[in-house]
Amino acid sequence: MPKGRNEVVDSVVNLNSMHAMTSWLARQGRIRVDLMNRWRRRYFSAYTADEPVAARFRARQLQAVLRVAPLTMLANGLNAVLIVGAFWTDPLRPVLLLWAAAITWVVGRGLRVWWRTRRRAAPARASARAMRRATLHASLLAALWAAIPWLLFAGAGPGHRLLLAVITTGMICAGGFALATTPVAGTAYVLILAGGAMSVLVAGHLPLARVVGALLFVYAYIVIASVWSTARMFGARLMAEAQAERQNEVIGLLLRDFEENASDLLWETDAAGRLRRVSPKLAATLATPAEQLAARPILDLLKRMAPRSAGTADPIGPFRERLRRGEPFRDLPLALQHSGGKRWWSVTAKPLRDAEGRVAGWRGVAADITQAHSATEQLTWLAHFDPLTGLTNRHRFRAQLGEMLAAGPMRPGCALLCLDLDNFKITNDTLGHAAGDALLQEVARRLVAGARRTDTVARLGGDEFAVILRELASPDEAAGLTQRLIETLNTPCEVQGARVAARASVGLVMVPASASDVDAVLEQADLALYAAKASGGGGFRVFEPQMAASMRRRQRIEQALRQALAQGELSLAYQPQVDLRSRRVIGLEALLRWQHPELGAVSPAEFVPVAEEAGLIRPIGQWVLAQACRDAMQWPQTLTVSVNVSPVQAMSHDLVPVTQAALRDSGLAASRLELEITESIFMHDSEATLAVLRTLRDSGVRVALDDFGTGYSSLSYLRRFPFDTLKIDRSFVHELPSRPDTQAIVGMIAALAATLRMKIVAEGVEDAAQLRLLESYGCDAMQGYLVARPMPAHRLAGFFADWGGRRPAEVFMPVETDPVHNPQAV
């Protein structure tokens, strides 16, 4: 390689080496600077903040110093006057006057800055340069005061030296504390002034100079440490305020976002109850400009918007009372008249309190619950009234009858009528269900028109009606009113173009003053009704004791029932439950059967009430539960067994141990057992019953509400107990394809179950039309003749095999087994 070329290569290598060395030195320099900055921030910084925040902090630091500037400048001026006055005869008077002029200039500058910031708003931010100027100002002032001991201490007498020592020490302490919020300036001030004083002591070779200098050093160190401690506390407060401000900003953004995207409204009042911070959404909802709402008393506004209703003196009284109490409240319903109609609001609020704990205002949220309130009112109405006729339903009728009986001997004379339409089934079958509904509505209208205002007319179900006659003077008056109602009903009417005679049979019972049992009175009226029908219909019969001949069969049943369990006459039949999505069998319901040698097959609807009244239902129920668990152990593990529990069992204290014993003895998992109860159990000790049900559910047993919508108080107890399953009664399913009102009820029940996350099972499904409607409403499972009739346990294996092998198109073709009972008895 040529020599020139080698030199070029060497030069390039040298340059690269120099560049690498320079880069390494630069990196090392940056590392050292970074370490120095970290050390400085750790030991010589009152806070750690980004520049925008630090600028606000610096402004607050300088403002704190300026607040005491008049006092500190006044102290500087007074001390300067003392020095000049004490040393006026000193030969260094000209120098002293120059020093005093310099002090005056520094004091005047400080006062001028203070006056300028006092006359106008203090700046929100301060630069690092402003902090350096403050440090320079403090250093200059300290240097001027440090010059005094150097000039005057050596030639001064003992008294003058004492004056210099006191003034110097005071200036060190006072200046350090005055500059505590600006620690760098305070430190510079103390070091310069203390350093000057100590140097004078050391240079003067005075007795105890070193001791006094050491003390002065210690005092200066204490002052500096106090300065930094105060500065750090001040900085911590600034950091806390900044953090709180950021949190308030975030909360404000979240609240604004919440109000913009949610249907709820935010509101706030001051201590006097006047609205403040009115949001655009609140103004838009109330159709009033925000400036008109601001500072307006909220009570006056709500009172103006409250709907006018008779008998309501103060429509916003509950809201007013909550504000008066000064306690938080939630979900207070409030009716307001605006936006062209009546709206319901749910109001939640809590009081805002000042430092002394007094209510300084209110802050809350209001949610429009009009739709939910309307739905609740509709459900409540459906729970108490018949949807077809608008009459009182069975539940409400029983409640009113019970209230009347509870009045005892003090009540006026009264009677009970039970009515049943003659040949209604023929009318319904020949003219159609729509005509049947129209006939029922016409009958209801005529009953209401013929009854008095004090009477109660109810539809008990189907074509059964009942009337409570109150304030009767005699049985003859009751008979006359009954005959008038029959004549009113017997008048032919037009139903969808056809002329129909709505003949009715009526049973009348005069309620004695001693009567207290609702069921007994209803039974007597039913016995009279049966007698009227047996007499050919179209008239009425008054209850007589001899009509109780049917009670003899009841007594016969009771006697036989006492031996039925011991003699093995009771058995269980099982009806499959099918999941509507997978078409798989998911469980079976156990149904009690009784075959007596003489009475034959007795319907459960007949002997179960007898067993309950005779006190036999508990041992029978215990046997049913144990046998159902044993049978279920023979099925696939995925199948559950549902067992009906009578109200007597549900309200007994031994239901929990009996259930646990049945599960333990059979080995059945608790999750495979479902207990079905009816709403009637809640007519008595509901709290104790709920406690029993909760204990069972906590142990893993499922709980279903049977015959939902036909019993006592379903809506109330759905909120208080989380049922696993709701069972739609077969009466609803039977009328489902033909009655829009029934469809509305079933749809509402399905929606309610979905909202409450409960499984819904339909009973008594017999045809594909019913099935399609139930599927459209989101029903989870079904049972009925469309799948299979109830069957004994030994036939289940064959049913499982047959069901699993059927083609999809055949899945819901009825499975024939030996019939056991008619559908109503199953």
Side-chain angles (χ1 to χ4, degrees), residues 171-190:
M171 291 299 293
I172 291 174
C173 296
F177 288 119
L179 296 169
T181 57
T182 54
V184 176
T187 301
Y189 177 87
V190 172

Side-chain angles (χ1 to χ4, degrees), residues 135 263 387 655 685:
T135 302
S263 59
L655 179 60
D685 190 0

